[in-house]
Every structure is written in structure tokens, then in C-alpha cells.
Amino acid sequence: MSKLVTLWSSHLSDKQSREDFEGYVRNSSSLLERLSDILKQKVVTLSSPRDDYDSPAWACKQADRNGQLRVLNDILKLTDLERNDP
């Protein structure tokens, strides 16, 4: 079993509480898998080609989309329970 991303239990100070909470997160794997599926669908939607260049604010739209993709990918990393902490 791989180690969870430490961000999941960084709010807890003692070892037993961290281990208990990590067990709780691991037992929620079905929920996290569904969340991952939803987030991946959003990534695909945001990554699809758009006709934003006809707008004077195309750069702002692109920056906003890039920020959304960055956040979605950060959350996807947290939901991947098999991923090792970097």
C-alpha cells in the first residue's frame, strides 16, 4: 500500500490521529474515484478547442481556463490514492 499524499493528514498532530484519518480517506476510495471521473470530464471539456480568439478578451479567457485546469489537476493528484507523495 502506497503512502497517502501528506496534505490529507497535515492538519493532525499526533501519529494515531493521522493513521486513523488516512484509514478513513482510504475507505472513501469509491467516492474519490467518482470525483476523479467528474474532474477528468471537466478537464476534457476545458481542454477542447474553442473560438475565443474572436473576443477582445481572449487572453483573459485563456488565463482563466489555464487556472481552472491547474486547480482541477491539483485536486486529481489528491484523489489518486495510489500516488506517492512528491
Side-chain angles (χ1 to χ4, degrees):
M1 181 177 346
S2 63
K3 185 177 179 191
L4 275 181
V5 175
T6 56
L7 192 55
W8 277 112
S9 58
S10 64
H11 66 292
L12 300 167
S13 57
D14 69 276
K15 183 178 179 180
Q16 186 60 48
S17 295
R18 278 194 308 271
E19 289 174 358
D20 290 346
F21 190 77
E22 288 175 6
Y24 176 76
V25 171
R26 287 190 188 285
N27 287 332
S28 303
S29 62
S30 295
L31 174 79
L32 293 173
E33 285 175 17
R34 179 61 188 136
L35 177 60
S36 292
D37 291 342
I38 293 168
L39 295 174
K40 288 174 185 175
Q41 290 172 354
K42 291 190 172 288
V43 167
V44 168
T45 301
L46 283 171
S47 299
S48 64
R50 301 219 172 135
D51 294 331
D52 288 343
Y53 292 111
D54 60 353
S55 168
W58 69 267
C60 293
K61 289 182 178 185
Q62 183 65 43
D64 181 56
R65 185 176 307 117
N66 290 344
Q68 289 179 49
L69 287 169
R70 186 172 30 259
V71 169
L72 290 171
N73 284 315
D74 285 347
I75 297 170
L76 280 168
K77 288 176 188 173
L78 286 173
T79 61
D80 183 0
L81 299 183
E82 298 304 315
R83 181 177 177 274
N84 290 320
D85 213 4

